[in-house]
Amino acid sequence: MKKLMLIDGSSVLYRAFFALPPLMNSKGTRTNAVYGFMMMLFKVMDDYKPDYIAVAFDVKAPTFRHKEYDAYKATREKMPDELSCQIPILRDILSALNIKIIEVPGFEADDILGTVSKQAEKNGLETYIVTGDRDSLQLVSKETRVILNKKGMTDVEVYDYDIFRDRYGITPSEFIDLKGLMGDKSDNIPGVPGIGEKTALELIKEYGSVNEIIKNVDRIKNKRVREAIANNVDKALLSKRLSTIIRDMPIEFDIEEYTVKEPDKKRVRAIFEELEFKSLLDKVSKDDTAPNVDRVVYRVIDNVDDFNEYISGVERIAISFKVHEDGLAMTSLSSQEKGTVFLPLYRLDDSMKYALYKLLSNENIKKSGHNIKRLLNFAISEGYKPANISFDSAIAAYLINATESEYIIRQIAKDFLNRDILDDSIFGKGRNRTDFHNVEEEMLNQLLGEEAEVIGQSEPLMREKLDELSMDRLFNDIEMPLVMVLADMECTGFNIDRNELLRLDSEFTEQLTSITKEIYNLAGEEFNINSPKQLSHILFEKLGLPVIKKTKTGYSTDAEVLEELAPQHDIVAKILEYRQISKLKSTYIDGFIKLTEKSAKIHTSFNQTVTATGRISSTEPNLQNIPIRTDIGRQIRKVFIPSDDKHVILSADYSQIELRVLAHLSSDENLIGSFIAGEDIHTRTASEVFNVPIDKVTPEMRRSAKAVNFGIVYGISDFGLARDLRIPREVAAEYIRSYFKRYPQVKEYLDECVKKAKELGYVTTIMNRRRYVPEITSKNRNIRMFGERIAMNTPIQGSAADIIKIAMVNVHKKIKDFKSKLILQVHDELIFDVLKEELDEIKEIVRWEMENAVNLKVPLIAEIKYGNNWYDAK
DNA sequence: AGCTTCACG
DNA sequence: ACGTACGTGAAGCTG
């Protein structure tokens, strides 16, 4: 059944005005009523998805009710100016939304709703009346429902026939009789004095309509009520007449005129922007997954000849693509010279894919894409060598603002081209995606085509922005070349010793079973050790151990807490041990067993656009957090082996890169001196902080100094240092004071970072990578201090990230004709699979490229080790 | 989906 | 009087 939605515009607007605080835009225009109206409108349209819609308004002219009864609505105050000035705005929006407004002089909005809904009932439509006025409840029927909006604007009460009967015990048409007896204060309808809702309902239930009640007035038992009615027959009849909504206005309505149409999005957006309706703006733009009349269907290319014809004479091609079930499903190409085309690869033979890979490898044509590494991987695995990959819009957007949660083409279209394109969410994220085979090809064609066009058209604008921010070199010479480096690394993969893996699995499983038993014995019952909740119950309730720390949801049981509790009960140490092994097994052993079922090699994905500082991250699996800090964890590195026995694993890591970067950035003479002297930096720091000669530094002092150095890099606080070293805060504060006394320019530099962030709103790295720090102006002290630590840490961490990226690009270029391969990056460390014959040469290339990636005020040192697995490369 | 915990630099 | 070290990703539990 088709649905008609009728909105009592006057009533909803009024409600909204009084329900919401007096919002205005920055120009001082009052917007609350319009805002509330729109919230309501979008909600009901979303919830009920009507086929027809119209909004009715009262017109100023007096209605028959005024003529009949002078006092009608006489007590109502004049509409405030703050509200009346919003009416033209609302009309404007409704017109942009292509929603019909109905108004008829001499009738109220109610009457229009009544008349139109009656005609709708005759035509077999399901009608929804949206209003804030309970009077309209009289219109409820089997076909017509009333949606009453309440205070909150978006919470509503829906009345259908049955709900109404349940609530009032009378029929909707008897609701008018109820009004006739009770009257209505707000409309100044008198009703029968002395009769309220309760009495009125009883009378109607017993006798029916007002007429019947009057006829039977003598039979009313209660004297007070009987006399009230008998003395006010006229008033009752008048009140009923005034309350009766007209359902047969002498006007024909053509329902077809109310068909829901595509809104004029541009206009709606312009108005919402003017009114500063930010959340509503998103709604308008988000909801356009529906095919748009204006959208173009692009030319389809389905054979290699046409493909080659398309790419001939083209200088630069923008490529969009979609992957499905781990295969390349489709792509669109867009170029200035030849326009935009769609390649439905999923239904074409493989020659089309190869033609595409060949294009990717064509040195004479520049390629642009969005997260293009994903596409390169397909070509590389088929043996192609992509070349001239010159622009990635995701990376450009990331450099422009590194703290966005995601970088999608749709957003770039909006930000740089002010264009709305189709939503690609049908492809979903990760595993929850719909099968595109269920989607019309025309839709896919439009979607991919728009994306390719946007990549191509936004490129010059994004490049301009990068130039303006002085990040053109970072983009062109570091990040873009790095795309190919990472793609190669991902495709090469890390070889895994499955037997060793399975051996570790049974070893860990065995240990886990035995520890589990011991824990159950000590606890006196079995429980899920992995559940912090159940564990809390055992530790803090059953065993009565003291609560050290609380979390949002309960008691904390983290390692820090457990270490403190360990002396009090034997179970605690066992739990720590269980935790450690269980973590190692589930994350690494079980995870890698799954990943090596098909092939011995594991291929991580590097993400170049997630971290706020410029580091890269690694997922599925994360190979940047393979255990090393504990002996037992470190065993896991034994499963990471060279590609064959002619190769070794080589690890090259920067020694103290962050502190060296700090020495450079701060120009601190003492710190620079330490590095030039080539001393152990933590020992030297200890000697400075504790004021003892280098040879009098104890291991304990060195340990403390190391923590101080970490603290400096993280944006130090005495609290953090105190917690890390488990010393009183005052002592930690003293360490920090004495550190800064010895390294005064470090102090100056860190202050400078904070000052810069406050003044400019951002901080930068040596390669001009930028991070905005909005936290630094927060009124909340914690957030603000967090901002200060970000301002201190980001230039250090980010510059180190810049440096290793440069080294990666340079090394990759140098070793491209070797058999040895770069396979992993772990922030300050590069891992290679090195052919033994090439070992000496590779060692020197890697060392030189890492140490000379940039020229700092201190030397950069790379430490190189190798072995028959990652564990032995130490 | 959010929280807790813990693996890494 | 408050409550903090910086940057990540994955697993398991819970609502």
Side-chain angles (χ1 to χ4, degrees):
Chain A
M1 208 191 283
K2 294 239 174 171
K3 295 179 194 163
L4 164 68
M5 181 165 278
L6 295 170
I7 298 172
D8 183 336
S10 306
S11 153
V12 172
L13 195 67
Y14 231 91
R15 277 265 147 160
F17 180 74
F18 290 106
L20 297 177
L23 313 169
M24 323 180 194
N25 70 0
S26 49
K27 289 180 187 156
T29 309
R30 294 291 281 253
T31 57
N32 62 336
V34 174
Y35 183 75
F37 189 101
M38 284 301 135
M39 293 284 287
M40 179 73 189
L41 176 68
F42 287 144
K43 181 183 160 43
V44 292
M45 284 192 71
D46 234 37
D47 288 353
Y48 297 95
K49 311 222 180 307
D51 303 286
Y52 305 97
I53 188 164
V55 177
F57 281 110
D58 298 336
V59 193
K60 267 203 168 158
T63 65
F64 75 94
R65 294 184 181 87
H66 295 94
K67 286 172 194 158
E68 185 163 330
Y69 178 57
D70 291 342
Y72 181 68
K73 288 194 176 177
T75 50
R76 187 163 297 182
E77 278 184 44
K78 180 181 161 287
M79 182 187 282
D81 290 342
E82 293 86 357
L83 174 54
S84 56
C85 68
Q86 295 185 53
I87 294 175
I89 303 175
L90 177 61
R91 300 178 81 102
D92 199 22
I93 297 173
L94 290 173
S95 127
L97 288 169
N98 278 320
I99 294 176
K100 262 266 189 239
I101 294 173
I102 321 174
E103 42 198 358
V104 181
F107 293 92
E108 293 184 45
D110 279 8
D111 302 321
I112 299 171
L113 304 185
T115 306
V116 178
S117 62
K118 192 171 177 188
Q119 289 179 17
E121 284 173 8
K122 278 190 215 150
N123 290 314
L125 292 176
E126 197 172 294
T127 303
Y128 294 85
I129 289 171
V130 183
T131 177
D133 190 345
R134 296 194 98 82
D135 278 2
S136 301
L137 288 177
Q138 62 186 273
L139 302 176
V140 169
S141 69
K142 295 274 185 215
E143 298 84 10
T144 302
R145 276 149 238 228
V146 168
I147 300 170
L148 270 183
N149 67 328
K150 309 205 295 188
K151 275 250 173 69
M153 284 326 288
T154 45
D155 57 331
V156 293
E157 257 176 315
V158 183
Y159 282 90
D160 63 14
Y161 190 82
D162 295 329
I163 295 172
F164 183 91
R165 283 295 302 265
D166 286 351
R167 166 78 201 271
Y168 289 97
I170 58 177
T171 65
S173 57
E174 284 167 346
F175 191 77
I176 321 168
D177 299 289
L178 182 68
K179 278 298 184 78
L181 297 174
M182 291 169 50
D184 185 328
K185 260 249 169 75
S186 69
D187 290 347
N188 204 26
I189 296 175
V192 177
I195 308 269
E197 182 171 337
K198 270 212 172 140
T199 327
L201 280 171
E202 274 167 30
L203 289 170
I204 294 168
K205 274 179 214 162
E206 186 157 358
Y207 304 101
S209 66
V210 169
N211 280 331
E212 290 297 315
I213 294 168
I214 292 166
K215 256 192 230 160
N216 294 298
V217 69
D218 297 337
R219 289 170 48 199
I220 297 173
K221 293 181 193 92
N222 184 312
K223 185 181 167 209
R224 186 186 62 81
V225 174
R226 187 171 61 238
E227 285 176 359
I229 305 259
N231 295 334
N232 293 285
V233 169
D234 288 352
K235 268 192 184 155
L237 290 172
L238 172 69
S239 296
K240 181 175 171 180
R241 242 187 346 268
L242 292 172
S243 305
T244 305
I245 292 175
I246 310 287
R247 305 208 67 179
D248 51 3
M249 287 166 55
I251 295 169
E252 278 297 316
F253 294 99
D254 180 4
I255 306 266
E256 290 306 320
E257 282 185 47
Y258 311 145
T259 308
V260 172
K261 297 187 199 79
E262 260 310 284
D264 179 346
K265 288 213 178 100
K266 256 196 177 159
R267 232 178 102 202
V268 176
R269 250 196 309 277
I271 301 169
F272 282 1
E273 262 159 27
E274 167 76 24
L275 298 175
E276 295 159 17
F277 289 173
K278 226 180 156 217
S279 61
L280 291 176
L281 261 172
D282 291 344
K283 265 193 189 143
V284 187
S285 333
K286 240 181 204 158
D287 284 348
D288 53 7
T289 38
N292 189 313
V293 269
D294 296 324
R295 299 195 192 280
V296 191
V297 177
Y298 301 94
R299 188 185 138 205
V300 173
I301 287 190
D302 60 5
N303 66 81
V304 176
D305 288 342
D306 286 354
F307 182 89
N308 288 332
E309 194 280 319
Y310 175 84
I311 64 171
S312 78
V314 170
E315 249 182 66
R316 191 184 74 191
I317 291 185
I319 306 171
S320 63
F321 62 95
K322 297 291 167 198
V323 176
H324 200 260
E325 258 141 35
D326 300 325
L328 183 57
M330 63 197 77
T331 175
S332 278
L333 310 178
S334 183
S335 64
Q336 198 109 63
E337 298 87 346
K338 302 279 185 71
T340 303
V341 294
F342 177 60
L343 281 70
L345 298 169
Y346 61 91
R347 63 172 175 82
L348 305 179
D349 71 60
D350 285 352
S351 62
M352 289 301 290
K353 269 188 201 171
Y354 301 142
L356 178 69
Y357 299 157
K358 214 173 133 191
L359 165 66
L360 290 173
S361 313
N362 185 329
E363 290 170 27
N364 301 314
I365 302 176
K366 292 194 179 85
K367 268 77 59 178
S368 307
H370 188 88
N371 291 325
I372 200 168
K373 172 159 62 67
R374 186 105 196 261
L375 180 61
L376 302 184
N377 284 338
F378 289 106
I380 295 171
S381 346
E382 296 280 356
Y384 292 82
K385 290 208 180 327
N388 213 346
I389 308 301
S390 68
F391 182 81
D392 188 307
S393 52
I395 294 174
Y398 167 68
L399 292 190
I400 290 165
N401 183 353
T403 48
E404 299 283 328
S405 54
E406 56 177 10
Y407 301 92
I408 53 174
I409 303 178
R410 208 152 175 275
Q411 192 59 43
I412 289 170
K414 201 168 290 171
D415 293 347
F416 288 87
L417 305 170
N418 193 23
R419 174 173 169 188
D420 271 289
I421 65 165
L422 287 167
D423 192 328
D424 73 346
S425 56
I426 52 157
F427 289 94
K429 283 187 184 104
R431 260 131 231 102
N432 61 73
R433 48 196 170 188
T434 51
D435 187 350
F436 69 84
H437 292 99
N438 298 330
V439 181
E440 299 246 344
E441 181 173 315
E442 197 168 281
M443 171 88 173
L444 302 169
N445 175 317
Q446 293 172 354
L447 204 155
L448 278 271
E450 289 188 334
E451 290 191 345
E453 272 181 7
V454 167
I455 294 165
Q457 289 169 14
S458 58
E459 177 175 341
L461 301 169
M462 297 185 93
R463 285 188 180 278
E464 204 175 297
K465 183 77 182 174
L466 289 169
D467 288 348
E468 188 188 312
L469 304 178
S470 310
M471 287 196 279
D472 44 320
R473 274 200 56 210
L474 175 63
F475 182 75
N476 293 312
D477 301 345
I478 302 176
E479 298 290 353
M480 284 313 302
L482 187 65
V483 173
M484 254 317 285
V485 178
L486 296 175
D488 269 342
M489 291 165 69
E490 290 178 7
C491 290
T492 306
F494 211 141
N495 200 20
I496 296 295
D497 183 345
R498 199 144 199 275
N499 291 330
E500 178 67 12
L501 191 56
L502 296 171
R503 196 186 64 73
L504 282 174
D505 185 33
S506 52
E507 198 178 305
F508 283 8
T509 308
E510 213 171 285
Q511 290 187 43
L512 227 39
T513 339
S514 113
I515 300 170
T516 306
K517 260 188 212 147
E518 293 181 68
I519 291 174
Y520 291 164
N521 275 335
L522 287 162
E525 65 179 289
E526 298 196 356
F527 65 102
N528 185 348
I529 311 169
N530 289 322
S531 160
K533 202 179 159 190
Q534 293 184 38
L535 182 60
S536 296
H537 173 74
I538 298 288
L539 294 180
F540 306 118
E541 285 164 35
K542 187 159 180 192
L543 301 177
L545 295 172
V547 172
I548 309 282
K549 200 163 55 166
K550 283 184 179 176
T551 65
K552 272 180 199 162
T553 51
Y555 305 133
S556 174
T557 63
D558 66 17
E560 201 183 318
V561 169
L562 295 184
E563 267 157 38
E564 201 171 328
L565 293 173
Q568 299 191 43
H569 200 291
D570 290 345
I571 198 173
V572 180
K574 291 289 167 199
I575 289 165
L576 277 165
E577 203 184 344
Y578 174 92
R579 278 256 179 92
Q580 189 191 10
I581 297 171
S582 155
K583 178 81 172 187
L584 296 173
K585 180 168 146 51
S586 66
T587 306
Y588 301 101
I589 306 291
D590 295 348
F592 293 150
I593 286 176
K594 262 184 230 146
L595 288 169
T596 49
E597 261 152 21
K598 282 186 187 151
S599 117
K601 283 201 169 180
I602 51 181
H603 305 267
T604 183
S605 295
F606 290 108
N607 201 323
Q608 220 176 327
T609 61
V610 293
T611 72
T613 54
R615 280 185 173 181
I616 54 185
S617 80
S618 156
T619 58
E620 288 181 317
N622 181 355
L623 291 186
Q624 289 181 322
N625 71 345
I626 304 304
I628 191 169
R629 291 176 187 173
T630 65
D631 266 349
I632 175 150
R634 200 170 186 158
Q635 300 298 314
I636 291 174
R637 295 192 169 216
K638 287 182 177 162
V639 311
F640 289 84
I641 57 171
S643 52
D644 59 42
D645 53 17
K646 293 191 176 66
H647 288 74
V648 288
I649 297 298
L650 181 144
S651 149
D653 72 291
Y654 276 116
S655 156
Q656 301 300 342
I657 188 167
E658 292 193 340
L659 288 175
R660 287 172 198 269
V661 164
L662 176 62
H664 173 81
L665 290 171
S666 67
S667 304
D668 187 278
E669 284 159 29
N670 197 9
L671 195 52
I672 291 175
S674 301
F675 281 117
I676 289 178
E679 292 161 338
D680 175 282
I681 193 65
H682 301 314
T683 305
R684 170 67 179 260
T685 305
S687 145
E688 297 287 352
V689 170
F690 300 114
N691 199 21
V692 296
I694 295 267
D695 55 4
K696 289 277 164 7
V697 171
T698 64
E700 177 59 24
M701 289 159 91
R702 184 180 183 278
R703 199 175 67 85
S704 301
K706 190 174 173 181
V708 172
N709 278 330
F710 269 107
I712 296 293
V713 169
Y714 292 157
I716 198 140
S717 82
D718 51 10
F719 184 93
L721 183 63
R723 204 185 51 169
D724 194 37
L725 285 176
R726 294 166 205 218
I727 55 174
R729 198 156 118 178
E730 295 72 31
V731 179
E734 186 50 41
Y735 289 2
I736 295 168
R737 260 197 301 280
S738 93
Y739 178 95
F740 282 140
K741 207 167 168 192
R742 291 302 202 162
Y743 301 99
Q745 285 151 293
V746 170
K747 168 81 175 138
E748 261 172 55
Y749 168 73
L750 295 175
D751 289 346
E752 194 59 37
C753 286
V754 171
K755 197 172 149 217
K756 185 180 161 188
K758 280 191 174 138
E759 279 167 9
L760 304 174
Y762 62 87
V763 288
T764 53
T765 67
I766 47 173
M767 294 311 296
N768 262 328
R769 186 188 300 281
R770 177 180 292 214
R771 176 177 181 180
Y772 294 93
V773 195
E775 294 88 350
I776 212 152
T777 56
S778 170
K779 282 186 187 150
N780 179 320
R781 181 165 173 260
N782 288 329
I783 297 175
R784 192 171 62 245
M785 289 180 70
F786 178 49
E788 291 174 3
R789 294 195 295 271
I790 290 171
M792 294 187 263
N793 173 264
T794 297
I796 301 172
Q797 193 183 120
S799 297
D802 292 348
I803 292 169
I804 197 165
K805 282 177 170 179
I806 295 170
M808 289 169 76
V809 169
N810 294 344
V811 168
H812 183 260
K813 199 160 126 196
K814 276 274 171 65
I815 67 172
K816 74 177 194 324
D817 294 323
F818 287 75
K819 293 277 187 299
S820 303
K821 296 268 187 209
L822 174 59
I823 53 180
L824 214 57
Q825 186 251 42
V826 192
H827 310 309
D828 63 354
E829 174 187 18
L830 299 179
I831 313 291
F832 297 82
D833 181 45
V834 177
L835 185 67
K836 287 175 186 168
E837 300 160 22
E838 296 175 351
L839 185 57
D840 290 342
E841 220 175 331
I842 293 288
K843 250 170 32 184
E844 286 324 303
I845 292 171
V846 169
R847 183 192 310 283
W848 200 91
E849 293 301 341
M850 286 178 76
E851 294 185 347
N852 294 285
V854 289
N855 192 10
L856 302 184
K857 292 168 187 154
V858 291
L860 279 175
I861 302 292
E863 287 173 357
I864 298 184
K865 296 157 247 172
Y866 56 91
N868 286 325
N869 55 51
W870 197 1
Y871 178 91
D872 287 333
K874 63 177 162 85

